[in-house]
């Protein structure tokens, strides 16, 4: 049946016509004008402050030290829907530094835009850069403590590990480095400070941090000891007791010349110039050399003294074997004593207000004397206004005498008194002047003579005055190298 339809001539013509009409319609439908048109919108957009991104520089050797600008202005074009879908930080300007070394040059910038966006313009489109070579140098590390420890304590020297580090910077900046430091907080600490990782910073001479510095290692370990505040003072030897008749002191040597006194800052600031060790001479009953131990006297208010005791080598010889020698000590200061209320005393002569003193004694002791071992006191107690020649009271260490003791030491003193003259009536002298009259004041050296040795005694007016006006021990003891003292009994 199907074959009959196909073989029928009329049916074949009808099918051919239908196919031709269909083909005609398809062609005309594809090329014809559509009934409606789709419209696409394009816009321009300006983006300011587009960041320049440099890349490719060998940062192990070089640094980009300057760039005349770090941003550009871009105008771009694209479909409105595309432009509104990106933010400003999606736009970049690339700077390729690959293969470049030290120097200054001008380079082209390459825009880096989102997909679907094209560049209209970029300002600037070139940039001038300076590339510097990096250099490395070793620096010692210092630590800066911030704050003070508890009262009575002081910080020791920081122990830093490692003590040196490597600093890498551009050549122009490396030459300005003056310090590599780390800061630690030591406020109120009571024991040794320890911190394993203290960050370091490099500074120039103005104290400004060089933020680009590469420090290797970047941290150090720090330990800071905390100790009591201390002051190192000389040790002087003083004496008690007397040697038997027929014996004399020849040499005195201590194994320690200085001691450390630990105390608060107030106590240390008022501390006298030395500490004392006492030797009892009565324990030496025969000639010879002995080593004795003597405790050091800790000053009032101190926490401790180190060492607490010292070893003193004492040589005693028969009196007839002692070789005396003379020595002149220059510039011994004259100390005024005895001015009353409203009274002013001034030393007119000698104009230097000092005097040279020649002394005699065992050679070893005389050679070790210092000016601190001798005192000169001008006692003006009870003297009326005017000029007076005052006999000076001389304080010397034990076993030391004045050479040519018949020569009196005198000074001229000017006294300006209150409007009421000083009372000179002998009957009321002691009541109006507890210190005694001028004549009596001049007799004090005789009153203070040691009855056994003939040297000034600790209870004499001369030595008492020296202790008042100079120091608690002035003229009253000896140095650690053997200078004796007369201020002890």
């Amino acid at each position: 049946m199907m074959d009959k339809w196909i073989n029928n001539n009329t049916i074949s013509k009808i099918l051919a016509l239908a196919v031709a009409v269909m083909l005609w319609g398809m062609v005309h439908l594809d090329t014809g004008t559509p009934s409606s048109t789709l419209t696409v919108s394009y816009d321009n957009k300006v983006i300011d402050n587009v960041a320049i991104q440099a890349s490719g520089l060998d940062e192990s050797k070089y640094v980009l030290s300057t760039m005349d600008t770090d941003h550009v202005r871009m105008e771009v074009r694209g479909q409105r829907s595309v432009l509104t879908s990106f933010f400003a930080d999606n736009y970049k300007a690339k700077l390729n530094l690959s293969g470049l070394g030290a120097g200054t040059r001008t380079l082209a910038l390459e825009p880096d835009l989102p997909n679907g966006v094209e560049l209209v313009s970029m300002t600037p489109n070139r940039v001038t850069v300076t590339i510097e070579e990096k250099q490395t140098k070793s620096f010692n590390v210092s630590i800066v403590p911030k704050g003070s420890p508890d009262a009575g304590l002081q910080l020791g020297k920081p122990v830093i590990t490692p003590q040196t580090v490597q600093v890498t910077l551009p050549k122009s900046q490396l030459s300005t480095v003056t310090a590599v430091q780390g800061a630690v907080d030591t406020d109120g600490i009571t024991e040794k400070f320890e911190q394993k990782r203290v960050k370091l910073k490099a500074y120039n001479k103005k104290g400004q941090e060089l933020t680009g510095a590469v420090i290797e290692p970047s941290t150090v370990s720090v330990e800071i000891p905390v100790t009591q505040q201390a002051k190192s003072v000389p040790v002087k030897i003083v004496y008690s007791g007397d040697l038997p008749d027929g014996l004399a002191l020849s040499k005195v040597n201590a194994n320690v010349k200085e001691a450390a006194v630990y105390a608060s800052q107030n106590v240390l600031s008022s501390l006298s110039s030395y500490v004392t060790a006492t030797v009892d001479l009565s324990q030496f009953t025969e000639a010879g050399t002995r080593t004795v131990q003597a405790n050091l006297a800790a000053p009032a208010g101190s926490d401790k003294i180190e060492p607490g005791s010292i070893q003193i080598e004492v040589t005693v010889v028969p009196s007839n074997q002692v070789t005396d020698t003379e020595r002149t000590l220059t510039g011994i200061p004259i100390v005024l004593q005895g001015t009353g209320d409203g009274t002013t005393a001034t030393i007119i002569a000698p104009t230097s207000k000092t005097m040279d003193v020649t002394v005699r004694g065992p050679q070893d002791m005389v050679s070790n004397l210092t000016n601190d071992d001798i005192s000169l006191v001008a006692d003006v107690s009870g003297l009326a206004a005017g000029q007076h020649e005052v006999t000076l009271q001389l304080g010397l260490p034990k076993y030391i005498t004045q050479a040519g003791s018949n020569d009196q030491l005198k000074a001229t003193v000017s006294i300006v008194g209150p409007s009421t003259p000083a009372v000179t009536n002998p009957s009321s002298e002691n009541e109006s002047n507890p210190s005694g009259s001028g004549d009596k004041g001049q007799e004090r050296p005789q009153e203070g003579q040691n009855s056994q040795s003939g040297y000034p005694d600790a209870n004499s007016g001369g030595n008492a005055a020296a202790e008042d006006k100079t120091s608690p021990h002035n003229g009253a003891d000896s140095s650690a190298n053997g200078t004796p003292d007369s201020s002890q009994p």
Side-chain angles (χ1 to χ4, degrees), residues 164-239:
T164 61
V165 294
Q166 302 289 318
V167 177
T168 301
L169 277 170
K171 181 179 178 180
S172 61
Q173 295 184 46
L174 189 64
S175 61
T176 68
V177 177
T178 57
V180 178
Q181 295 179 345
V184 294
D185 183 7
T186 55
D187 192 43
I189 63 174
T190 59
E191 57 186 14
K192 181 174 72 172
F193 175 90
E194 293 183 87
Q195 189 168 328
K196 297 300 182 183
R197 297 175 63 85
V198 177
K199 186 174 178 59
L200 300 177
K201 297 179 180 180
Y203 296 91
N204 60 22
K205 64 181 180 180
K206 295 181 180 180
Q208 299 168 331
E209 181 186 353
L210 300 170
T211 55
V214 177
I215 304 174
E216 183 62 37
S218 60
T219 63
V220 292
S221 172
V222 178
E223 293 184 6
I224 305 178
V226 177
T227 61
Q228 290 178 292
Q229 296 186 83
K231 181 179 181 180
S232 183
V233 293
V235 173
K236 292 211 170 192
I237 301 172
V238 297
Y239 300 89

Side-chain angles (χ1 to χ4, degrees), residues 33-63:
T33 303
S35 59
S36 62
T37 302
L38 180 64
T39 302
V40 179
S41 297
Y42 285 81
D43 285 341
N44 285 15
K45 183 178 181 180
V46 174
I47 303 99
D48 291 316
N49 297 320
V50 176
I52 298 176
Q53 291 188 342
S55 63
L57 185 66
D58 185 354
E59 295 182 353
S60 65
K61 296 180 180 179
Y62 305 101
V63 63

Side-chain angles (χ1 to χ4, degrees), residues 258-271:
E258 291 186 338
V261 177
Y262 294 85
S264 66
Q265 187 58 48
N266 289 338
V267 172
L268 293 179
S269 61
S270 61
L271 190 63

Side-chain angles (χ1 to χ4, degrees), residues 7 110 178 201 207 237 293 300 343 399 467 480:
N7 292 326
E110 299 177 6
T178 57
K201 297 179 180 180
I237 301 172
Q293 181 172 301
T343 300
Y399 301 108
E467 292 177 7

Side-chain angles (χ1 to χ4, degrees), residues 337-340 379-385 388 415 422-424 429 432-433 435-438:
Q337 174 187 301
T339 55
D379 190 346
V380 298
S381 301
L383 297 182
H388 301 268
I415 299 176
V423 178
T424 57
E429 183 178 272
S432 63
N433 179 22
S435 300
S437 68

